[in-house]
Amino acid sequence: MPGIRNKIIAITGASSGIGEATALLLASRGAKVVLGARGLNRLEALVARIAEAGGEAVCAPTDVTRRDDLSQLVGLACERYGKLDVLVNNAGIGPISPLDDLRVEDWEAMVDINIKGVLYGIASALPVFRAQGSGHFVNIASTAAHRIVPNMAVYAGTKLAVRAISEGLRQEAGEKLRVTVISPGFTRTNFAESMTDPALKAQTLASMDKFAISPEAIARAIAFAIEQPADVDVGEIIVRPTAQG
């Protein structure tokens, strides 16, 4: 598609779930994807899969809690392709639990990855976008940022922060840059892997099997926002299962 073909698109959390589905879809539509995640083996396998399908991808190990890693991912795009058109801030975790459990380390991890990881992405790409006179941030939030429920207070807080930061960025961005928030509902990903509460983890996995949507549904929403003309800024898209309350 002309709105995606030949765009240089960096994606964090690209080795699985929404990030992986997005990388595959965008590469199939002609984008050159620059992939970052902590698991280098999975990243390299994904790059090979994209290349076998006729696409183009490069990767770098990326821990979004490390600002230098984000700088290196953006730098890889600029060194390899001379520019960066889109940064998809996708990496996130959700070790949800009741506040009474006092799983403070889980809270800190969510703040570090879900909020600071997005900020580090912005800090790395914003100067590049300003110098180019163009660029697009796609930040992944959640329906948890729209509806607060028990056990998800801290997770929802981090995703509300992503929405607030994104809206502030959009207002500061001016007419040359674009900012989109994608808020997925219940999606079949490795979301439960980070959970340290066994009961909630089992409950989440059971619900996921029952009615969660595919990560490809979120990838299509991301592609829709990216493929719009340069003067069209899609502010936010919410994508959820029809069965989700």
Side-chain angles (χ1 to χ4, degrees):
M1 302 185 72
I4 292 176
R5 183 167 299 281
N6 293 323
K7 283 198 171 179
I8 313 306
I9 303 174
I11 305 169
T12 66
S15 63
S16 64
I18 291 169
E20 179 183 24
T22 301
L24 289 167
L25 178 64
L26 296 179
S28 75
R29 295 188 181 183
K32 296 176 176 62
V33 292
V34 182
L35 309 178
R38 287 181 289 189
L40 185 57
N41 289 341
R42 294 192 60 148
L43 276 180
E44 290 175 339
L46 180 56
V47 167
R49 185 176 168 192
I50 289 169
E52 287 169 7
E56 189 168 348
V58 295
C59 69
T62 305
D63 180 344
V64 299
T65 68
R66 297 169 53 90
R67 183 178 176 184
D68 286 349
D69 283 14
L70 269 302
S71 296
Q72 288 167 15
L73 187 68
V74 170
L76 175 62
C78 295
E79 290 161 16
R80 185 65 61 95
Y81 300 113
K83 64 173 182 172
L84 176 65
D85 294 304
V86 184
L87 174 62
V88 182
N89 281 309
N90 166 70
I93 61 168
I96 61 173
S97 63
L99 289 170
D100 278 318
D101 283 1
L102 300 179
R103 296 178 186 261
V104 177
E105 289 184 359
D106 288 350
W107 304 350
E108 291 172 339
M110 283 187 278
V111 169
D112 287 345
I113 293 172
N114 297 357
I115 301 178
K116 292 169 70 175
V118 170
L119 287 170
Y120 290 160
I122 291 169
S124 299
L126 187 55
V128 173
F129 289 169
R130 291 296 191 198
Q132 291 174 171
S134 65
H136 189 176
F137 290 100
V138 179
N139 298 331
I140 308 303
S142 169
T143 52
H146 297 262
R147 181 171 180 262
I148 316 302
V149 298
N151 304 321
M152 299 185 76
V154 178
Y155 177 73
T158 65
K159 292 303 187 177
L160 275 165
V162 170
R163 291 186 69 219
I165 291 164
S166 299
E167 175 58 15
L169 177 61
R170 184 194 67 79
Q171 293 185 30
E172 295 180 23
E175 62 183 39
K176 299 294 186 182
L177 308 187
R178 302 193 293 174
V179 182
T180 299
V181 176
I182 305 290
S183 287
F186 208 10
T187 307
R188 284 193 300 274
T189 67
N190 59 357
F191 180 81
E193 284 185 9
S194 64
M195 293 184 187
T196 55
D197 182 306
L200 280 175
K201 184 172 185 175
Q203 178 184 328
T204 299
L205 289 170
S207 297
M208 193 174 292
D209 288 340
K210 200 174 294 184
F211 66 86
I213 57 176
S214 73
E216 287 76 18
I218 312 305
R220 290 192 295 271
I222 293 170
F224 172 80
I226 291 172
E227 71 189 7
Q228 299 307 307
D231 62 343
V232 175
D233 194 359
V234 178
E236 184 167 13
I237 304 175
I238 301 173
V239 185
R240 60 166 69 90
T242 55
Q244 183 173 337

mmCIF file with all atom_site columns, all heavy atoms in Angstrom, residues 203-226:
data_model
loop_
_atom_site.group_PDB
_atom_site.id
_atom_site.type_symbol
_atom_site.label_atom_id
_atom_site.label_alt_id
_atom_site.label_comp_id
_atom_site.label_asym_id
_atom_site.label_entity_id
_atom_site.label_seq_id
_atom_site.pdbx_PDB_ins_code
_atom_site.Cartn_x
_atom_site.Cartn_y
_atom_site.Cartn_z
_atom_site.occupancy
_atom_site.B_iso_or_equiv
_atom_site.pdbx_formal_charge
_atom_site.auth_seq_id
_atom_site.auth_comp_id
_atom_site.auth_asym_id
_atom_site.auth_atom_id
_atom_site.pdbx_PDB_model_num
ATOM 1   N N   . GLN A 1 203 ? -6.552  -17.353 35.616 1.00 0.00 ? 203 GLN A N   1
ATOM 2   C CA  . GLN A 1 203 ? -7.820  -16.748 35.181 1.00 0.00 ? 203 GLN A CA  1
ATOM 3   C C   . GLN A 1 203 ? -7.640  -16.015 33.856 1.00 0.00 ? 203 GLN A C   1
ATOM 4   O O   . GLN A 1 203 ? -8.486  -16.107 32.949 1.00 0.00 ? 203 GLN A O   1
ATOM 5   C CB  . GLN A 1 203 ? -8.312  -15.780 36.256 1.00 0.00 ? 203 GLN A CB  1
ATOM 6   C CG  . GLN A 1 203 ? -9.603  -15.050 35.915 1.00 0.00 ? 203 GLN A CG  1
ATOM 7   C CD  . GLN A 1 203 ? -9.968  -14.040 36.999 1.00 0.00 ? 203 GLN A CD  1
ATOM 8   O OE1 . GLN A 1 203 ? -9.689  -14.241 38.176 1.00 0.00 ? 203 GLN A OE1 1
ATOM 9   N NE2 . GLN A 1 203 ? -10.573 -12.951 36.592 1.00 0.00 ? 203 GLN A NE2 1
ATOM 10  N N   . THR A 1 204 ? -6.532  -15.293 33.724 1.00 0.00 ? 204 THR A N   1
ATOM 11  C CA  . THR A 1 204 ? -6.262  -14.545 32.485 1.00 0.00 ? 204 THR A CA  1
ATOM 12  C C   . THR A 1 204 ? -6.077  -15.490 31.300 1.00 0.00 ? 204 THR A C   1
ATOM 13  O O   . THR A 1 204 ? -6.615  -15.258 30.209 1.00 0.00 ? 204 THR A O   1
ATOM 14  C CB  . THR A 1 204 ? -5.016  -13.666 32.667 1.00 0.00 ? 204 THR A CB  1
ATOM 15  O OG1 . THR A 1 204 ? -5.242  -12.732 33.726 1.00 0.00 ? 204 THR A OG1 1
ATOM 16  C CG2 . THR A 1 204 ? -4.695  -12.897 31.386 1.00 0.00 ? 204 THR A CG2 1
ATOM 17  N N   . LEU A 1 205 ? -5.337  -16.557 31.506 1.00 0.00 ? 205 LEU A N   1
ATOM 18  C CA  . LEU A 1 205 ? -5.108  -17.513 30.423 1.00 0.00 ? 205 LEU A CA  1
ATOM 19  C C   . LEU A 1 205 ? -6.408  -18.191 30.001 1.00 0.00 ? 205 LEU A C   1
ATOM 20  O O   . LEU A 1 205 ? -6.650  -18.413 28.803 1.00 0.00 ? 205 LEU A O   1
ATOM 21  C CB  . LEU A 1 205 ? -4.078  -18.554 30.862 1.00 0.00 ? 205 LEU A CB  1
ATOM 22  C CG  . LEU A 1 205 ? -2.637  -18.044 30.990 1.00 0.00 ? 205 LEU A CG  1
ATOM 23  C CD1 . LEU A 1 205 ? -1.751  -19.090 31.651 1.00 0.00 ? 205 LEU A CD1 1
ATOM 24  C CD2 . LEU A 1 205 ? -2.073  -17.646 29.620 1.00 0.00 ? 205 LEU A CD2 1
ATOM 25  N N   . ALA A 1 206 ? -7.257  -18.500 30.957 1.00 0.00 ? 206 ALA A N   1
ATOM 26  C CA  . ALA A 1 206 ? -8.549  -19.126 30.629 1.00 0.00 ? 206 ALA A CA  1
ATOM 27  C C   . ALA A 1 206 ? -9.423  -18.173 29.818 1.00 0.00 ? 206 ALA A C   1
ATOM 28  O O   . ALA A 1 206 ? -10.041 -18.566 28.827 1.00 0.00 ? 206 ALA A O   1
ATOM 29  C CB  . ALA A 1 206 ? -9.260  -19.550 31.913 1.00 0.00 ? 206 ALA A CB  1
ATOM 30  N N   . SER A 1 207 ? -9.465  -16.913 30.231 1.00 0.00 ? 207 SER A N   1
ATOM 31  C CA  . SER A 1 207 ? -10.260 -15.924 29.502 1.00 0.00 ? 207 SER A CA  1
ATOM 32  C C   . SER A 1 207 ? -9.685  -15.671 28.109 1.00 0.00 ? 207 SER A C   1
ATOM 33  O O   . SER A 1 207 ? -10.426 -15.474 27.145 1.00 0.00 ? 207 SER A O   1
ATOM 34  C CB  . SER A 1 207 ? -10.311 -14.611 30.289 1.00 0.00 ? 207 SER A CB  1
ATOM 35  O OG  . SER A 1 207 ? -10.948 -14.799 31.531 1.00 0.00 ? 207 SER A OG  1
ATOM 36  N N   . MET A 1 208 ? -8.368  -15.701 28.015 1.00 0.00 ? 208 MET A N   1
ATOM 37  C CA  . MET A 1 208 ? -7.717  -15.490 26.726 1.00 0.00 ? 208 MET A CA  1
ATOM 38  C C   . MET A 1 208 ? -8.134  -16.577 25.733 1.00 0.00 ? 208 MET A C   1
ATOM 39  O O   . MET A 1 208 ? -8.441  -16.294 24.571 1.00 0.00 ? 208 MET A O   1
ATOM 40  C CB  . MET A 1 208 ? -6.197  -15.474 26.912 1.00 0.00 ? 208 MET A CB  1
ATOM 41  C CG  . MET A 1 208 ? -5.419  -14.970 25.723 1.00 0.00 ? 208 MET A CG  1
ATOM 42  S SD  . MET A 1 208 ? -3.645  -14.828 26.070 1.00 0.00 ? 208 MET A SD  1
ATOM 43  C CE  . MET A 1 208 ? -3.622  -13.478 27.262 1.00 0.00 ? 208 MET A CE  1
ATOM 44  N N   . ASP A 1 209 ? -8.157  -17.807 26.206 1.00 0.00 ? 209 ASP A N   1
ATOM 45  C CA  . ASP A 1 209 ? -8.572  -18.913 25.352 1.00 0.00 ? 209 ASP A CA  1
ATOM 46  C C   . ASP A 1 209 ? -10.027 -18.762 24.918 1.00 0.00 ? 209 ASP A C   1
ATOM 47  O O   . ASP A 1 209 ? -10.409 -19.206 23.832 1.00 0.00 ? 209 ASP A O   1
ATOM 48  C CB  . ASP A 1 209 ? -8.393  -20.249 26.076 1.00 0.00 ? 209 ASP A CB  1
ATOM 49  C CG  . ASP A 1 209 ? -6.933  -20.651 26.219 1.00 0.00 ? 209 ASP A CG  1
ATOM 50  O OD1 . ASP A 1 209 ? -6.102  -20.121 25.455 1.00 0.00 ? 209 ASP A OD1 1
ATOM 51  O OD2 . ASP A 1 209 ? -6.626  -21.472 27.101 1.00 0.00 ? 209 ASP A OD2 1
ATOM 52  N N   . LYS A 1 210 ? -10.827 -18.143 25.770 1.00 0.00 ? 210 LYS A N   1
ATOM 53  C CA  . LYS A 1 210 ? -12.262 -18.078 25.530 1.00 0.00 ? 210 LYS A CA  1
ATOM 54  C C   . LYS A 1 210 ? -12.654 -16.997 24.521 1.00 0.00 ? 210 LYS A C   1
ATOM 55  O O   . LYS A 1 210 ? -13.447 -17.256 23.609 1.00 0.00 ? 210 LYS A O   1
ATOM 56  C CB  . LYS A 1 210 ? -12.973 -17.833 26.868 1.00 0.00 ? 210 LYS A CB  1
ATOM 57  C CG  . LYS A 1 210 ? -14.449 -18.203 26.877 1.00 0.00 ? 210 LYS A CG  1
ATOM 58  C CD  . LYS A 1 210 ? -15.036 -18.077 28.283 1.00 0.00 ? 210 LYS A CD  1
ATOM 59  C CE  . LYS A 1 210 ? -14.408 -19.104 29.226 1.00 0.00 ? 210 LYS A CE  1
ATOM 60  N NZ  . LYS A 1 210 ? -15.038 -19.046 30.582 1.00 0.00 ? 210 LYS A NZ  1
ATOM 61  N N   . PHE A 1 211 ? -12.097 -15.778 24.654 1.00 0.00 ? 211 PHE A N   1
ATOM 62  C CA  . PHE A 1 211 ? -12.630 -14.722 23.792 1.00 0.00 ? 211 PHE A CA  1
ATOM 63  C C   . PHE A 1 211 ? -11.630 -13.663 23.321 1.00 0.00 ? 211 PHE A C   1
ATOM 64  O O   . PHE A 1 211 ? -12.015 -12.687 22.652 1.00 0.00 ? 211 PHE A O   1
ATOM 65  C CB  . PHE A 1 211 ? -13.820 -14.014 24.473 1.00 0.00 ? 211 PHE A CB  1
ATOM 66  C CG  . PHE A 1 211 ? -13.473 -13.236 25.712 1.00 0.00 ? 211 PHE A CG  1
ATOM 67  C CD1 . PHE A 1 211 ? -13.032 -11.931 25.638 1.00 0.00 ? 211 PHE A CD1 1
ATOM 68  C CD2 . PHE A 1 211 ? -13.624 -13.810 26.971 1.00 0.00 ? 211 PHE A CD2 1
ATOM 69  C CE1 . PHE A 1 211 ? -12.733 -11.206 26.783 1.00 0.00 ? 211 PHE A CE1 1
ATOM 70  C CE2 . PHE A 1 211 ? -13.329 -13.099 28.128 1.00 0.00 ? 211 PHE A CE2 1
ATOM 71  C CZ  . PHE A 1 211 ? -12.885 -11.787 28.021 1.00 0.00 ? 211 PHE A CZ  1
ATOM 72  N N   . ALA A 1 212 ? -10.349 -13.812 23.605 1.00 0.00 ? 212 ALA A N   1
ATOM 73  C CA  . ALA A 1 212 ? -9.380  -12.791 23.170 1.00 0.00 ? 212 ALA A CA  1
ATOM 74  C C   . ALA A 1 212 ? -9.268  -12.758 21.643 1.00 0.00 ? 212 ALA A C   1
ATOM 75  O O   . ALA A 1 212 ? -9.432  -13.777 20.971 1.00 0.00 ? 212 ALA A O   1
ATOM 76  C CB  . ALA A 1 212 ? -8.019  -13.073 23.790 1.00 0.00 ? 212 ALA A CB  1
ATOM 77  N N   . ILE A 1 213 ? -8.984  -11.585 21.107 1.00 0.00 ? 213 ILE A N   1
ATOM 78  C CA  . ILE A 1 213 ? -8.798  -11.425 19.664 1.00 0.00 ? 213 ILE A CA  1
ATOM 79  C C   . ILE A 1 213 ? -7.334  -11.643 19.297 1.00 0.00 ? 213 ILE A C   1
ATOM 80  O O   . ILE A 1 213 ? -6.455  -11.651 20.152 1.00 0.00 ? 213 ILE A O   1
ATOM 81  C CB  . ILE A 1 213 ? -9.271  -10.029 19.174 1.00 0.00 ? 213 ILE A CB  1
ATOM 82  C CG1 . ILE A 1 213 ? -8.523  -8.916  19.921 1.00 0.00 ? 213 ILE A CG1 1
ATOM 83  C CG2 . ILE A 1 213 ? -10.778 -9.886  19.344 1.00 0.00 ? 213 ILE A CG2 1
ATOM 84  C CD1 . ILE A 1 213 ? -8.854  -7.517  19.428 1.00 0.00 ? 213 ILE A CD1 1
ATOM 85  N N   . SER A 1 214 ? -7.078  -11.801 18.022 1.00 0.00 ? 214 SER A N   1
ATOM 86  C CA  . SER A 1 214 ? -5.716  -12.069 17.560 1.00 0.00 ? 214 SER A CA  1
ATOM 87  C C   . SER A 1 214 ? -4.888  -10.787 17.555 1.00 0.00 ? 214 SER A C   1
ATOM 88  O O   . SER A 1 214 ? -5.434  -9.689  17.357 1.00 0.00 ? 214 SER A O   1
ATOM 89  C CB  . SER A 1 214 ? -5.738  -12.666 16.156 1.00 0.00 ? 214 SER A CB  1
ATOM 90  O OG  . SER A 1 214 ? -6.075  -11.666 15.210 1.00 0.00 ? 214 SER A OG  1
ATOM 91  N N   . PRO A 1 215 ? -3.574  -10.896 17.718 1.00 0.00 ? 215 PRO A N   1
ATOM 92  C CA  . PRO A 1 215 ? -2.724  -9.699  17.626 1.00 0.00 ? 215 PRO A CA  1
ATOM 93  C C   . PRO A 1 215 ? -2.745  -9.080  16.243 1.00 0.00 ? 215 PRO A C   1
ATOM 94  O O   . PRO A 1 215 ? -2.467  -7.893  16.083 1.00 0.00 ? 215 PRO A O   1
ATOM 95  C CB  . PRO A 1 215 ? -1.332  -10.223 17.992 1.00 0.00 ? 215 PRO A CB  1
ATOM 96  C CG  . PRO A 1 215 ? -1.386  -11.695 17.837 1.00 0.00 ? 215 PRO A CG  1
ATOM 97  C CD  . PRO A 1 215 ? -2.804  -12.104 18.087 1.00 0.00 ? 215 PRO A CD  1
ATOM 98  N N   . GLU A 1 216 ? -3.114  -9.860  15.227 1.00 0.00 ? 216 GLU A N   1
ATOM 99  C CA  . GLU A 1 216 ? -3.214  -9.304  13.871 1.00 0.00 ? 216 GLU A CA  1
ATOM 100 C C   . GLU A 1 216 ? -4.285  -8.214  13.784 1.00 0.00 ? 216 GLU A C   1
ATOM 101 O O   . GLU A 1 216 ? -4.173  -7.292  12.972 1.00 0.00 ? 216 GLU A O   1
ATOM 102 C CB  . GLU A 1 216 ? -3.515  -10.424 12.865 1.00 0.00 ? 216 GLU A CB  1
ATOM 103 C CG  . GLU A 1 216 ? -2.342  -11.345 12.575 1.00 0.00 ? 216 GLU A CG  1
ATOM 104 C CD  . GLU A 1 216 ? -2.064  -12.345 13.689 1.00 0.00 ? 216 GLU A CD  1
ATOM 105 O OE1 . GLU A 1 216 ? -2.965  -12.572 14.544 1.00 0.00 ? 216 GLU A OE1 1
ATOM 106 O OE2 . GLU A 1 216 ? -0.941  -12.913 13.715 1.00 0.00 ? 216 GLU A OE2 1
ATOM 107 N N   . ALA A 1 217 ? -5.310  -8.302  14.624 1.00 0.00 ? 217 ALA A N   1
ATOM 108 C CA  . ALA A 1 217 ? -6.340  -7.261  14.637 1.00 0.00 ? 217 ALA A CA  1
ATOM 109 C C   . ALA A 1 217 ? -5.756  -5.922  15.066 1.00 0.00 ? 217 ALA A C   1
ATOM 110 O O   . ALA A 1 217 ? -6.118  -4.863  14.524 1.00 0.00 ? 217 ALA A O   1
ATOM 111 C CB  . ALA A 1 217 ? -7.477  -7.664  15.576 1.00 0.00 ? 217 ALA A CB  1
ATOM 112 N N   . ILE A 1 218 ? -4.849  -5.958  16.029 1.00 0.00 ? 218 ILE A N   1
ATOM 113 C CA  . ILE A 1 218 ? -4.201  -4.724  16.484 1.00 0.00 ? 218 ILE A CA  1
ATOM 114 C C   . ILE A 1 218 ? -3.212  -4.243  15.429 1.00 0.00 ? 218 ILE A C   1
ATOM 115 O O   . ILE A 1 218 ? -3.088  -3.034  15.181 1.00 0.00 ? 218 ILE A O   1
ATOM 116 C CB  . ILE A 1 218 ? -3.495  -4.947  17.834 1.00 0.00 ? 218 ILE A CB  1
ATOM 117 C CG1 . ILE A 1 218 ? -4.422  -5.667  18.834 1.00 0.00 ? 218 ILE A CG1 1
ATOM 118 C CG2 . ILE A 1 218 ? -3.024  -3.609  18.396 1.00 0.00 ? 218 ILE A CG2 1
ATOM 119 C CD1 . ILE A 1 218 ? -5.747  -4.980  19.070 1.00 0.00 ? 218 ILE A CD1 1
ATOM 120 N N   . ALA A 1 219 ? -2.512  -5.170  14.802 1.00 0.00 ? 219 ALA A N   1
ATOM 121 C CA  . ALA A 1 219 ? -1.571  -4.800  13.744 1.00 0.00 ? 219 ALA A CA  1
ATOM 122 C C   . ALA A 1 219 ? -2.275  -4.058  12.621 1.00 0.00 ? 219 ALA A C   1
ATOM 123 O O   . ALA A 1 219 ? -1.748  -3.086  12.068 1.00 0.00 ? 219 ALA A O   1
ATOM 124 C CB  . ALA A 1 219 ? -0.869  -6.047  13.207 1.00 0.00 ? 219 ALA A CB  1
ATOM 125 N N   . ARG A 1 220 ? -3.476  -4.507  12.264 1.00 0.00 ? 220 ARG A N   1
ATOM 126 C CA  . ARG A 1 220 ? -4.222  -3.833  11.194 1.00 0.00 ? 220 ARG A CA  1
ATOM 127 C C   . ARG A 1 220 ? -4.597  -2.410  11.591 1.00 0.00 ? 220 ARG A C   1
ATOM 128 O O   . ARG A 1 220 ? -4.602  -1.502  10.749 1.00 0.00 ? 220 ARG A O   1
ATOM 129 C CB  . ARG A 1 220 ? -5.467  -4.650  10.824 1.00 0.00 ? 220 ARG A CB  1
ATOM 130 C CG  . ARG A 1 220 ? -5.153  -5.954  10.108 1.00 0.00 ? 220 ARG A CG  1
ATOM 131 C CD  . ARG A 1 220 ? -6.404  -6.582  9.513  1.00 0.00 ? 220 ARG A CD  1
ATOM 132 N NE  . ARG A 1 220 ? -7.364  -7.003  10.526 1.00 0.00 ? 220 ARG A NE  1
ATOM 133 C CZ  . ARG A 1 220 ? -7.372  -8.205  11.103 1.00 0.00 ? 220 ARG A CZ  1
ATOM 134 N NH1 . ARG A 1 220 ? -6.448  -9.104  10.777 1.00 0.00 ? 220 ARG A NH1 1
ATOM 135 N NH2 . ARG A 1 220 ? -8.288  -8.510  11.999 1.00 0.00 ? 220 ARG A NH2 1
ATOM 136 N N   . ALA A 1 221 ? -4.919  -2.204  12.872 1.00 0.00 ? 221 ALA A N   1
ATOM 137 C CA  . ALA A 1 221 ? -5.236  -0.845  13.335 1.00 0.00 ? 221 ALA A CA  1
ATOM 138 C C   . ALA A 1 221 ? -4.001  0.048   13.260 1.00 0.00 ? 221 ALA A C   1
ATOM 139 O O   . ALA A 1 221 ? -4.087  1.225   12.866 1.00 0.00 ? 221 ALA A O   1
ATOM 140 C CB  . ALA A 1 221 ? -5.765  -0.898  14.772 1.00 0.00 ? 221 ALA A CB  1
ATOM 141 N N   . ILE A 1 222 ? -2.847  -0.502  13.627 1.00 0.00 ? 222 ILE A N   1
ATOM 142 C CA  . ILE A 1 222 ? -1.600  0.261   13.526 1.00 0.00 ? 222 ILE A CA  1
ATOM 143 C C   . ILE A 1 222 ? -1.317  0.618   12.073 1.00 0.00 ? 222 ILE A C   1
ATOM 144 O O   . ILE A 1 222 ? -0.965  1.764   11.750 1.00 0.00 ? 222 ILE A O   1
ATOM 145 C CB  . ILE A 1 222 ? -0.440  -0.554  14.137 1.00 0.00 ? 222 ILE A CB  1
ATOM 146 C CG1 . ILE A 1 222 ? -0.642  -0.714  15.656 1.00 0.00 ? 222 ILE A CG1 1
ATOM 147 C CG2 . ILE A 1 222 ? 0.908   0.106   13.848 1.00 0.00 ? 222 ILE A CG2 1
ATOM 148 C CD1 . ILE A 1 222 ? 0.306   -1.693  16.314 1.00 0.00 ? 222 ILE A CD1 1
ATOM 149 N N   . ALA A 1 223 ? -1.488  -0.351  11.178 1.00 0.00 ? 223 ALA A N   1
ATOM 150 C CA  . ALA A 1 223 ? -1.258  -0.095  9.758  1.00 0.00 ? 223 ALA A CA  1
ATOM 151 C C   . ALA A 1 223 ? -2.196  0.981   9.239  1.00 0.00 ? 223 ALA A C   1
ATOM 152 O O   . ALA A 1 223 ? -1.790  1.846   8.441  1.00 0.00 ? 223 ALA A O   1
ATOM 153 C CB  . ALA A 1 223 ? -1.434  -1.391  8.964  1.00 0.00 ? 223 ALA A CB  1
ATOM 154 N N   . PHE A 1 224 ? -3.459  0.954   9.672  1.00 0.00 ? 224 PHE A N   1
ATOM 155 C CA  . PHE A 1 224 ? -4.426  1.967   9.241  1.00 0.00 ? 224 PHE A CA  1
ATOM 156 C C   . PHE A 1 224 ? -3.954  3.371   9.607  1.00 0.00 ? 224 PHE A C   1
ATOM 157 O O   . PHE A 1 224 ? -4.014  4.297   8.785  1.00 0.00 ? 224 PHE A O   1
ATOM 158 C CB  . PHE A 1 224 ? -5.791  1.694   9.879  1.00 0.00 ? 224 PHE A CB  1
ATOM 159 C CG  . PHE A 1 224 ? -6.804  2.790   9.657  1.00 0.00 ? 224 PHE A CG  1
ATOM 160 C CD1 . PHE A 1 224 ? -7.486  2.886   8.456  1.00 0.00 ? 224 PHE A CD1 1
ATOM 161 C CD2 . PHE A 1 224 ? -7.062  3.726   10.649 1.00 0.00 ? 224 PHE A CD2 1
ATOM 162 C CE1 . PHE A 1 224 ? -8.410  3.901   8.247  1.00 0.00 ? 224 PHE A CE1 1
ATOM 163 C CE2 . PHE A 1 224 ? -7.982  4.744   10.449 1.00 0.00 ? 224 PHE A CE2 1
ATOM 164 C CZ  . PHE A 1 224 ? -8.664  4.828   9.239  1.00 0.00 ? 224 PHE A CZ  1
ATOM 165 N N   . ALA A 1 225 ? -3.475  3.539   10.838 1.00 0.00 ? 225 ALA A N   1
ATOM 166 C CA  . ALA A 1 225 ? -3.013  4.865   11.264 1.00 0.00 ? 225 ALA A CA  1
ATOM 167 C C   . ALA A 1 225 ? -1.802  5.313   10.458 1.00 0.00 ? 225 ALA A C   1
ATOM 168 O O   . ALA A 1 225 ? -1.690  6.472   10.061 1.00 0.00 ? 225 ALA A O   1
ATOM 169 C CB  . ALA A 1 225 ? -2.682  4.843   12.758 1.00 0.00 ? 225 ALA A CB  1
ATOM 170 N N   . ILE A 1 226 ? -0.886  4.380   10.200 1.00 0.00 ? 226 ILE A N   1
ATOM 171 C CA  . ILE A 1 226 ? 0.348   4.734   9.494  1.00 0.00 ? 226 ILE A CA  1
ATOM 172 C C   . ILE A 1 226 ? 0.086   5.092   8.036  1.00 0.00 ? 226 ILE A C   1
ATOM 173 O O   . ILE A 1 226 ? 0.708   6.008   7.481  1.00 0.00 ? 226 ILE A O   1
ATOM 174 C CB  . ILE A 1 226 ? 1.354   3.563   9.585  1.00 0.00 ? 226 ILE A CB  1
ATOM 175 C CG1 . ILE A 1 226 ? 1.851   3.410   11.024 1.00 0.00 ? 226 ILE A CG1 1
ATOM 176 C CG2 . ILE A 1 226 ? 2.546   3.779   8.639  1.00 0.00 ? 226 ILE A CG2 1
ATOM 177 C CD1 . ILE A 1 226 ? 2.695   2.166   11.253 1.00 0.00 ? 226 ILE A CD1 1
#
